[in-house]
mmCIF file of all heavy atoms in Angstrom:
data_model
loop_
_atom_site.group_PDB
_atom_site.id
_atom_site.type_symbol
_atom_site.label_atom_id
_atom_site.label_comp_id
_atom_site.label_asym_id
_atom_site.label_seq_id
_atom_site.Cartn_x
_atom_site.Cartn_y
_atom_site.Cartn_z
ATOM 1 N N GLN D 538 0.800 -26.661 -0.597
ATOM 2 C CA GLN D 538 0.849 -28.068 -0.983
ATOM 3 C C GLN D 538 1.097 -28.963 0.229
ATOM 4 O O GLN D 538 0.518 -30.057 0.333
ATOM 5 C CB GLN D 538 1.945 -28.275 -2.030
ATOM 6 C CG GLN D 538 1.662 -27.589 -3.363
ATOM 7 C CD GLN D 538 2.796 -27.747 -4.339
ATOM 8 O OE1 GLN D 538 3.728 -28.510 -4.110
ATOM 9 N NE2 GLN D 538 2.740 -27.005 -5.441
ATOM 10 N N HIS D 539 1.940 -28.508 1.157
ATOM 11 C CA HIS D 539 2.188 -29.299 2.352
ATOM 12 C C HIS D 539 0.918 -29.414 3.206
ATOM 13 O O HIS D 539 0.619 -30.489 3.739
ATOM 14 C CB HIS D 539 3.311 -28.668 3.166
ATOM 15 C CG HIS D 539 3.821 -29.555 4.260
ATOM 16 N ND1 HIS D 539 4.967 -30.303 4.146
ATOM 17 C CD2 HIS D 539 3.330 -29.829 5.496
ATOM 18 C CE1 HIS D 539 5.161 -30.995 5.249
ATOM 19 N NE2 HIS D 539 4.183 -30.718 6.088
ATOM 20 N N LEU D 540 0.163 -28.328 3.321
ATOM 21 C CA LEU D 540 -1.077 -28.383 4.091
ATOM 22 C C LEU D 540 -2.082 -29.337 3.462
ATOM 23 O O LEU D 540 -2.810 -30.046 4.169
ATOM 24 C CB LEU D 540 -1.681 -26.978 4.205
ATOM 25 C CG LEU D 540 -0.911 -25.956 5.061
ATOM 26 C CD1 LEU D 540 -1.614 -24.611 5.027
ATOM 27 C CD2 LEU D 540 -0.762 -26.434 6.496
ATOM 28 N N GLN D 541 -2.127 -29.360 2.141
ATOM 29 C CA GLN D 541 -3.092 -30.223 1.459
ATOM 30 C C GLN D 541 -2.767 -31.707 1.662
ATOM 31 O O GLN D 541 -3.650 -32.556 1.522
ATOM 32 C CB GLN D 541 -3.122 -29.888 -0.032
ATOM 33 C CG GLN D 541 -3.725 -28.520 -0.326
ATOM 34 C CD GLN D 541 -3.595 -28.124 -1.774
ATOM 35 O OE1 GLN D 541 -2.996 -28.846 -2.577
ATOM 36 N NE2 GLN D 541 -4.138 -26.967 -2.130
ATOM 37 N N ARG D 542 -1.508 -32.018 1.994
ATOM 38 C CA ARG D 542 -1.132 -33.407 2.225
ATOM 39 C C ARG D 542 -1.411 -33.873 3.651
ATOM 40 O O ARG D 542 -1.255 -35.064 3.967
ATOM 41 C CB ARG D 542 0.357 -33.611 1.908
ATOM 42 C CG ARG D 542 0.693 -33.494 0.420
ATOM 43 C CD ARG D 542 2.073 -34.023 0.140
ATOM 44 N NE ARG D 542 3.102 -33.221 0.772
ATOM 45 C CZ ARG D 542 3.737 -32.205 0.193
ATOM 46 N NH1 ARG D 542 3.424 -31.855 -1.049
ATOM 47 N NH2 ARG D 542 4.674 -31.542 0.837
ATOM 48 N N LEU D 543 -1.813 -32.965 4.534
ATOM 49 C CA LEU D 543 -2.077 -33.331 5.918
ATOM 50 C C LEU D 543 -3.395 -34.091 6.029
ATOM 51 O O LEU D 543 -4.309 -33.913 5.221
ATOM 52 C CB LEU D 543 -2.120 -32.070 6.801
ATOM 53 C CG LEU D 543 -0.817 -31.260 6.896
ATOM 54 C CD1 LEU D 543 -1.046 -30.033 7.774
ATOM 55 C CD2 LEU D 543 0.326 -32.097 7.452
ATOM 56 N N ARG D 544 -3.484 -34.903 7.059
ATOM 57 C CA ARG D 544 -4.699 -35.664 7.290
ATOM 58 C C ARG D 544 -5.810 -34.753 7.824
ATOM 59 O O ARG D 544 -5.537 -33.796 8.545
ATOM 60 C CB ARG D 544 -4.438 -36.779 8.294
ATOM 61 C CG ARG D 544 -3.401 -37.810 7.848
ATOM 62 C CD ARG D 544 -3.170 -38.824 8.949
ATOM 63 N NE ARG D 544 -2.143 -39.793 8.579
ATOM 64 C CZ ARG D 544 -1.698 -40.738 9.395
ATOM 65 N NH1 ARG D 544 -2.209 -40.830 10.643
ATOM 66 N NH2 ARG D 544 -0.765 -41.574 8.993
ATOM 67 N N PRO D 545 -7.047 -35.050 7.519
ATOM 68 C CA PRO D 545 -8.154 -34.270 8.107
ATOM 69 C C PRO D 545 -8.123 -34.376 9.629
ATOM 70 O O PRO D 545 -7.838 -35.437 10.181
ATOM 71 C CB PRO D 545 -9.402 -34.926 7.509
ATOM 72 C CG PRO D 545 -8.921 -35.577 6.256
ATOM 73 C CD PRO D 545 -7.522 -36.041 6.534
ATOM 74 N N GLY D 546 -8.425 -33.275 10.287
ATOM 75 C CA GLY D 546 -8.416 -33.248 11.743
ATOM 76 C C GLY D 546 -7.079 -32.904 12.350
ATOM 77 O O GLY D 546 -6.944 -32.834 13.582
ATOM 78 N N THR D 547 -6.059 -32.677 11.515
ATOM 79 C CA THR D 547 -4.739 -32.307 12.021
ATOM 80 C C THR D 547 -4.776 -30.895 12.591
ATOM 81 O O THR D 547 -5.417 -29.999 12.044
ATOM 82 C CB THR D 547 -3.688 -32.391 10.899
ATOM 83 O OG1 THR D 547 -3.656 -33.727 10.406
ATOM 84 C CG2 THR D 547 -2.312 -32.002 11.408
ATOM 85 N N THR D 548 -4.074 -30.694 13.686
ATOM 86 C CA THR D 548 -3.929 -29.363 14.276
ATOM 87 C C THR D 548 -2.620 -28.747 13.793
ATOM 88 O O THR D 548 -1.557 -29.381 13.890
ATOM 89 C CB THR D 548 -3.922 -29.428 15.811
ATOM 90 O OG1 THR D 548 -5.160 -29.978 16.259
ATOM 91 C CG2 THR D 548 -3.744 -28.038 16.412
ATOM 92 N N VAL D 549 -2.690 -27.550 13.258
ATOM 93 C CA VAL D 549 -1.510 -26.837 12.783
ATOM 94 C C VAL D 549 -1.066 -25.864 13.879
ATOM 95 O O VAL D 549 -1.794 -24.925 14.216
ATOM 96 C CB VAL D 549 -1.797 -26.076 11.474
ATOM 97 C CG1 VAL D 549 -0.568 -25.292 11.029
ATOM 98 C CG2 VAL D 549 -2.237 -27.043 10.390
ATOM 99 N N THR D 550 0.110 -26.121 14.448
ATOM 100 C CA THR D 550 0.658 -25.261 15.500
ATOM 101 C C THR D 550 1.609 -24.256 14.860
ATOM 102 O O THR D 550 2.569 -24.648 14.172
ATOM 103 C CB THR D 550 1.410 -26.083 16.555
ATOM 104 O OG1 THR D 550 0.485 -26.990 17.173
ATOM 105 C CG2 THR D 550 2.006 -25.179 17.623
#
Side-chain angles (χ1 to χ4, degrees):
Q538 294 177 10
H539 192 100
L540 292 178
Q541 291 173 357
R542 291 194 295 267
L543 297 179
R544 298 177 182 176
T547 300
T548 299
V549 178
T550 298

